[in-house]
Amino acid sequence: MFPKLDPLLHSELRLAVMSILAGVDEADFTYLKKQTGATSGNLSVQIDKLAAAGYITVEKGFKGKMPRTACKITPAGLEAFRGYVEALKEYLSASN
Amino acid sequence: MEQNNEMTAQQSLQVITETFNKSRKGILRNSAKYFMLWGALLTVTSLVIYLLWHFTGMPQWNFLWFAMPVIGYPAAALMGKYDVDVPQNEVSKMLSGVWRVFGTFAITLSAIAICLVPMNVSLIIVIIMGLAECMSGVLLKNWPIIICGFLLGVCGAIVAMLVKSEAQLLIFTLGGVLLLVTGCIMKLQNK
């Protein structure tokens, strides 16, 4: 019996966002947009979903005079991401 | 990248690997410009002091070394203003930490050598510079940088003991070139 893949992470854009955030302290909205190539609207919706699940925190502020939205992965998000990768490994080892 | 909830396990893994690598490369590419800045500054400063000392015979030109942090830190801060959207990862943080520690040691020891206890500062600085370069190579998993750092530290120490006066400064010109090369390697490796 294979572990169920977290449906929140099993989406291309949300998974890409989590992959970026898992490797950095925190990332700016514009950086995430540039790295994923997503539209602002779509990215914003997916970020809200991840934040609502407690996987990431979103902090709005300013850097100098420029508005800044900083996203950071939470310990729960990191744990969920690890679990997702582990589940993926099981699927892949079974299919090989 | 748009919504796709029907990914296979392979596609998911590909998304994770590609996104993670792309982000990591971007961060390291961004760090490269700081290596290039300090490398260029060190090359120019050491050459200018060498030439001034050589042609005037005045070792007092060594005080110009203190111009390096005065120019370098504001320049680095100015460059940092333009990468607001580039985050830090573990490697870029450690690289920055290694060179900050090197800078602190180099400035403090130079000041002590001038004001309190005379010592062969070139010898000490070239060793810790080689060490910092070596550490950078280890963090970047790059053998050419590790070897260059090792050679800079060891050969530089020998030269600093054997060569007297202004010719010692040329070790730092070489160190500066090495930093520039490290920056270029980082840029190329993370294209």
Coordinates of all heavy atoms in Angstrom, one line a residue, chain A residues 4-58:
Chain A
K4 N -0.5 8.1 0.6 CA -1.2 9.0 -0.3 C -0.4 10.3 -0.5 O 0.2 10.8 0.5 CB -2.5 9.3 0.3 CG -3.6 9.9 -0.6 CD -4.9 9.9 0.1 CE -5.9 10.6 -0.8 NZ -5.9 12.0 -0.8
L5 N -0.3 10.8 -1.7 CA 0.4 12.0 -1.9 C -0.4 13.2 -1.4 O -1.6 13.2 -1.7 CB 0.7 12.2 -3.4 CG 1.8 11.3 -4.0 CD1 1.8 11.4 -5.5 CD2 3.2 11.5 -3.4
D6 N 0.2 14.1 -0.7 CA -0.5 15.3 -0.2 C -1.1 16.0 -1.3 O -0.4 16.6 -2.2 CB 0.6 16.1 0.6 CG 0.0 17.3 1.3 OD1 -1.1 17.7 0.9 OD2 0.6 17.9 2.2
P7 N -2.4 16.1 -1.4 CA -3.1 16.8 -2.6 C -2.7 18.3 -2.7 O -2.7 18.8 -3.8 CB -4.6 16.6 -2.3 CG -4.7 16.3 -0.8 CD -3.4 15.6 -0.4
L8 N -2.4 18.9 -1.5 CA -2.0 20.3 -1.6 C -0.7 20.5 -2.3 O -0.4 21.5 -3.0 CB -1.9 20.9 -0.1 CG -2.0 22.4 0.0 CD1 -3.4 22.9 -0.5 CD2 -1.8 22.8 1.4
L9 N 0.2 19.5 -2.1 CA 1.5 19.7 -2.8 C 1.5 19.0 -4.2 O 2.4 19.3 -5.0 CB 2.6 19.0 -1.9 CG 2.9 19.6 -0.5 CD1 4.0 18.8 0.2 CD2 3.2 21.1 -0.7
H10 N 0.6 18.2 -4.4 CA 0.5 17.5 -5.7 C -0.1 18.4 -6.8 O -1.1 18.1 -7.4 CB -0.2 16.2 -5.6 CG 0.1 15.3 -6.8 ND1 1.3 14.8 -7.1 CD2 -0.7 14.8 -7.8 CE1 1.3 14.1 -8.1 NE2 0.1 14.0 -8.6
S11 N 0.5 19.6 -6.9 CA 0.1 20.6 -8.0 C 1.4 21.2 -8.4 O 2.3 21.6 -7.6 CB -0.8 21.6 -7.3 OG -0.5 22.9 -7.6
E12 N 1.6 21.4 -9.7 CA 2.9 21.8 -10.2 C 3.4 23.1 -9.6 O 4.5 23.2 -9.1 CB 2.8 21.9 -11.8 CG 4.1 22.0 -12.4 CD 4.0 22.0 -13.9 OE1 2.9 21.8 -14.5 OE2 5.0 22.3 -14.6
L13 N 2.5 24.1 -9.6 CA 3.0 25.4 -9.1 C 3.2 25.4 -7.6 O 4.2 26.0 -7.1 CB 1.9 26.5 -9.5 CG 2.3 27.9 -9.2 CD1 3.7 28.3 -9.7 CD2 1.3 28.9 -9.8
R14 N 2.3 24.8 -6.8 CA 2.5 24.8 -5.4 C 3.8 24.0 -5.0 O 4.5 24.4 -4.1 CB 1.3 24.2 -4.7 CG 0.1 25.2 -4.7 CD -1.0 24.7 -3.7 NE -1.6 23.5 -4.0 CZ -2.7 23.4 -4.8 NH1 -3.3 24.5 -5.2 NH2 -3.3 22.2 -5.0
L15 N 4.0 22.9 -5.8 CA 5.2 22.1 -5.5 C 6.5 22.9 -5.8 O 7.4 22.8 -5.1 CB 5.1 20.8 -6.4 CG 6.2 19.8 -6.1 CD1 6.1 19.3 -4.6 CD2 6.0 18.6 -7.0
A16 N 6.4 23.6 -6.9 CA 7.6 24.5 -7.3 C 7.9 25.5 -6.2 O 9.0 25.7 -5.8 CB 7.3 25.1 -8.7
V17 N 6.8 26.1 -5.7 CA 7.0 27.2 -4.7 C 7.6 26.5 -3.5 O 8.6 27.1 -2.9 CB 5.6 27.8 -4.4 CG1 5.7 28.7 -3.1 CG2 5.1 28.7 -5.5
M18 N 7.1 25.4 -3.1 CA 7.6 24.7 -1.9 C 9.1 24.2 -2.1 O 9.9 24.3 -1.2 CB 6.7 23.5 -1.5 CG 5.4 23.8 -1.0 SD 5.4 24.7 0.6 CE 5.6 23.3 1.7
S19 N 9.4 23.8 -3.3 CA 10.8 23.4 -3.6 C 11.7 24.5 -3.5 O 12.9 24.4 -3.0 CB 10.9 22.9 -5.0 OG 10.0 21.8 -5.2
I20 N 11.3 25.7 -3.9 CA 12.2 26.9 -3.8 C 12.3 27.3 -2.3 O 13.4 27.4 -1.8 CB 11.6 28.1 -4.5 CG1 11.6 27.8 -6.0 CG2 12.4 29.4 -4.3 CD1 10.8 28.8 -6.9
L21 N 11.2 27.3 -1.6 CA 11.2 27.8 -0.2 C 11.9 26.8 0.7 O 12.5 27.2 1.8 CB 9.8 28.0 0.3 CG 9.0 29.2 -0.3 CD1 7.6 29.3 0.2 CD2 9.8 30.5 -0.1
A22 N 12.0 25.5 0.3 CA 12.7 24.5 1.2 C 14.2 24.8 1.2 O 14.9 24.3 2.1 CB 12.4 23.1 0.7
G23 N 14.7 25.5 0.1 CA 16.1 25.6 0.0 C 16.6 27.0 0.5 O 17.8 27.3 0.4
V24 N 15.7 27.9 0.8 CA 16.2 29.3 1.2 C 15.6 29.7 2.5 O 14.6 29.1 3.0 CB 15.8 30.3 0.1 CG1 16.5 30.0 -1.2 CG2 14.3 30.4 -0.1
D25 N 16.1 30.8 3.1 CA 15.6 31.3 4.3 C 14.1 31.8 4.1 O 13.2 31.5 4.8 CB 16.4 32.5 4.8 CG 17.7 32.1 5.4 OD1 17.9 30.9 5.6 OD2 18.6 32.9 5.5
E26 N 14.0 32.7 3.1 CA 12.7 33.2 2.7 C 12.9 33.8 1.3 O 14.0 34.0 0.9 CB 12.2 34.3 3.7 CG 13.1 35.5 3.8 CD 12.5 36.7 4.6 OE1 11.8 36.4 5.6 OE2 12.7 37.8 4.2
A27 N 11.7 33.9 0.6 CA 11.8 34.4 -0.7 C 10.7 35.4 -1.0 O 9.6 35.3 -0.5 CB 11.7 33.2 -1.7
D28 N 11.1 36.3 -1.8 CA 10.2 37.4 -2.2 C 9.2 36.9 -3.2 O 9.5 36.0 -4.0 CB 11.1 38.4 -2.9 CG 10.7 39.8 -2.8 OD1 10.3 40.2 -1.6 OD2 10.7 40.5 -3.8
F29 N 8.0 37.6 -3.3 CA 7.0 37.2 -4.2 C 7.5 37.3 -5.7 O 7.3 36.4 -6.5 CB 5.7 38.1 -4.0 CG 4.6 37.8 -5.0 CD1 3.7 36.8 -4.6 CD2 4.4 38.4 -6.2 CE1 2.6 36.5 -5.5 CE2 3.4 38.1 -7.0 CZ 2.5 37.1 -6.7
T30 N 8.2 38.4 -5.9 CA 8.8 38.6 -7.3 C 9.8 37.6 -7.7 O 9.8 37.2 -8.8 CB 9.4 40.0 -7.4 OG1 10.3 40.2 -6.3 CG2 8.4 41.1 -7.4
Y31 N 10.5 37.1 -6.7 CA 11.5 36.0 -7.0 C 10.8 34.8 -7.3 O 11.1 34.1 -8.3 CB 12.4 35.8 -5.7 CG 13.4 34.7 -5.9 CD1 14.6 34.9 -6.6 CD2 13.2 33.5 -5.3 CE1 15.5 33.9 -6.8 CE2 14.1 32.5 -5.5 CZ 15.3 32.7 -6.2 OH 16.2 31.7 -6.4
L32 N 9.7 34.4 -6.5 CA 9.0 33.2 -6.8 C 8.3 33.3 -8.2 O 8.3 32.3 -8.9 CB 7.9 33.0 -5.7 CG 8.4 32.7 -4.3 CD1 7.3 32.7 -3.3 CD2 9.1 31.3 -4.3
K33 N 7.8 34.5 -8.5 CA 7.2 34.7 -9.8 C 8.2 34.5 -11.0 O 7.9 33.8 -11.9 CB 6.6 36.1 -9.9 CG 5.7 36.3 -11.0 CD 5.1 37.7 -11.0 CE 4.6 38.1 -12.3 NZ 4.8 39.4 -12.7
K34 N 9.4 35.0 -10.8 CA 10.4 34.9 -11.8 C 10.9 33.4 -11.9 O 11.0 32.9 -13.0 CB 11.6 35.8 -11.4 CG 12.6 36.1 -12.5 CD 13.5 37.2 -11.9 CE 14.9 36.9 -12.4 NZ 15.9 37.8 -11.7
Q35 N 11.0 32.8 -10.8 CA 11.5 31.4 -10.9 C 10.5 30.4 -11.4 O 10.9 29.4 -12.1 CB 12.0 30.9 -9.4 CG 13.2 31.6 -8.9 CD 14.5 31.3 -9.6 OE1 14.8 30.2 -9.9 NE2 15.2 32.3 -10.1
T36 N 9.2 30.6 -11.1 CA 8.2 29.7 -11.5 C 7.6 30.1 -12.9 O 7.1 29.2 -13.6 CB 7.1 29.6 -10.5 OG1 6.5 30.9 -10.4 CG2 7.5 29.1 -9.2
G37 N 7.8 31.3 -13.3 CA 7.2 31.8 -14.5 C 5.7 31.8 -14.5 O 5.0 31.9 -15.5
A38 N 5.1 31.9 -13.3 CA 3.6 31.9 -13.1 C 3.1 33.3 -13.2 O 3.9 34.3 -13.1 CB 3.2 31.3 -11.8
T39 N 1.8 33.5 -13.4 CA 1.2 34.8 -13.4 C 1.1 35.3 -12.0 O 0.9 34.4 -11.1 CB -0.1 34.9 -14.2 OG1 -1.0 34.0 -13.4 CG2 0.0 34.4 -15.6
S40 N 1.0 36.6 -11.8 CA 0.9 37.1 -10.4 C -0.4 36.6 -9.7 O -0.4 36.2 -8.6 CB 0.8 38.6 -10.4 OG 2.0 39.1 -10.9
G41 N -1.5 36.6 -10.5 CA -2.8 36.2 -9.9 C -2.8 34.7 -9.5 O -3.1 34.4 -8.4
N42 N -2.3 33.9 -10.4 CA -2.2 32.4 -10.1 C -1.3 32.1 -8.9 O -1.6 31.4 -8.0 CB -1.8 31.7 -11.3 CG -2.0 30.2 -11.2 OD1 -2.6 29.7 -10.3 ND2 -1.4 29.4 -12.1
L43 N -0.1 32.8 -8.9 CA 0.8 32.6 -7.9 C 0.2 33.0 -6.5 O 0.4 32.3 -5.5 CB 2.1 33.3 -8.2 CG 3.3 33.1 -7.2 CD1 3.7 31.7 -7.1 CD2 4.5 34.0 -7.5
S44 N -0.4 34.1 -6.6 CA -1.0 34.7 -5.3 C -2.1 33.7 -4.7 O -2.1 33.5 -3.5 CB -1.7 36.0 -5.7 OG -2.0 36.7 -4.6
V45 N -2.9 33.1 -5.6 CA -3.9 32.2 -5.2 C -3.3 31.0 -4.5 O -3.6 30.5 -3.5 CB -4.8 31.8 -6.4 CG1 -5.7 30.6 -6.0 CG2 -5.7 32.9 -6.8
Q46 N -2.2 30.4 -5.2 CA -1.6 29.2 -4.7 C -0.8 29.5 -3.4 O -0.8 28.7 -2.5 CB -0.6 28.6 -5.7 CG -1.2 28.4 -7.1 CD -2.5 27.6 -7.0 OE1 -2.7 26.7 -6.2 NE2 -3.5 28.0 -7.9
I47 N -0.2 30.7 -3.3 CA 0.5 31.0 -2.0 C -0.5 31.1 -0.9 O -0.3 30.7 0.2 CB 1.3 32.4 -2.2 CG1 2.6 32.1 -3.0 CG2 1.6 33.1 -0.9 CD1 3.4 33.3 -3.3
D48 N -1.7 31.7 -1.2 CA -2.7 31.8 -0.2 C -3.1 30.4 0.3 O -3.4 30.2 1.5 CB -3.9 32.6 -0.7 CG -3.7 34.1 -0.8 OD1 -2.7 34.5 -0.1 OD2 -4.5 34.8 -1.4
K49 N -3.2 29.5 -0.6 CA -3.6 28.1 -0.2 C -2.6 27.5 0.7 O -2.9 26.8 1.7 CB -3.8 27.2 -1.5 CG -5.1 27.5 -2.2 CD -5.3 26.6 -3.4 CE -6.6 26.9 -4.1 NZ -6.8 26.1 -5.3
L50 N -1.3 27.7 0.3 CA -0.2 27.1 1.1 C -0.2 27.8 2.5 O 0.1 27.1 3.5 CB 1.1 27.3 0.4 CG 1.4 26.4 -0.8 CD1 2.6 26.9 -1.6 CD2 1.5 24.9 -0.5
A51 N -0.4 29.1 2.5 CA -0.4 29.8 3.8 C -1.6 29.3 4.7 O -1.5 29.1 5.9 CB -0.5 31.3 3.5
A52 N -2.8 29.1 4.1 CA -4.0 28.7 4.8 C -3.7 27.3 5.4 O -4.3 27.0 6.5 CB -5.2 28.7 3.9
A53 N -2.9 26.5 4.8 CA -2.7 25.1 5.3 C -1.6 25.2 6.4 O -1.3 24.2 7.0 CB -2.2 24.2 4.1
G54 N -1.0 26.3 6.5 CA 0.1 26.5 7.5 C 1.4 26.0 7.0 O 2.4 25.8 7.8
Y55 N 1.6 25.8 5.7 CA 2.8 25.3 5.1 C 3.8 26.5 4.9 O 5.0 26.2 4.9 CB 2.6 24.6 3.8 CG 2.0 23.3 3.9 CD1 1.6 22.7 5.1 CD2 1.7 22.5 2.7 CE1 1.0 21.5 5.2 CE2 1.1 21.3 2.8 CZ 0.8 20.7 4.0 OH 0.2 19.5 4.1
I56 N 3.3 27.6 4.7 CA 4.2 28.8 4.6 C 3.7 30.0 5.4 O 2.5 30.0 5.7 CB 4.5 29.2 3.1 CG1 3.2 29.7 2.5 CG2 5.1 28.1 2.3 CD1 3.4 30.4 1.1
T57 N 4.5 30.9 5.7 CA 4.0 32.2 6.2 C 4.2 33.3 5.2 O 5.2 33.3 4.4 CB 4.8 32.6 7.5 OG1 6.2 32.7 7.2 CG2 4.5 31.6 8.6
V58 N 3.3 34.2 5.2 CA 3.4 35.3 4.2 C 3.5 36.6 5.0 O 2.6 36.9 5.8 CB 2.3 35.4 3.2 CG1 2.4 36.5 2.2 CG2 2.2 34.0 2.5

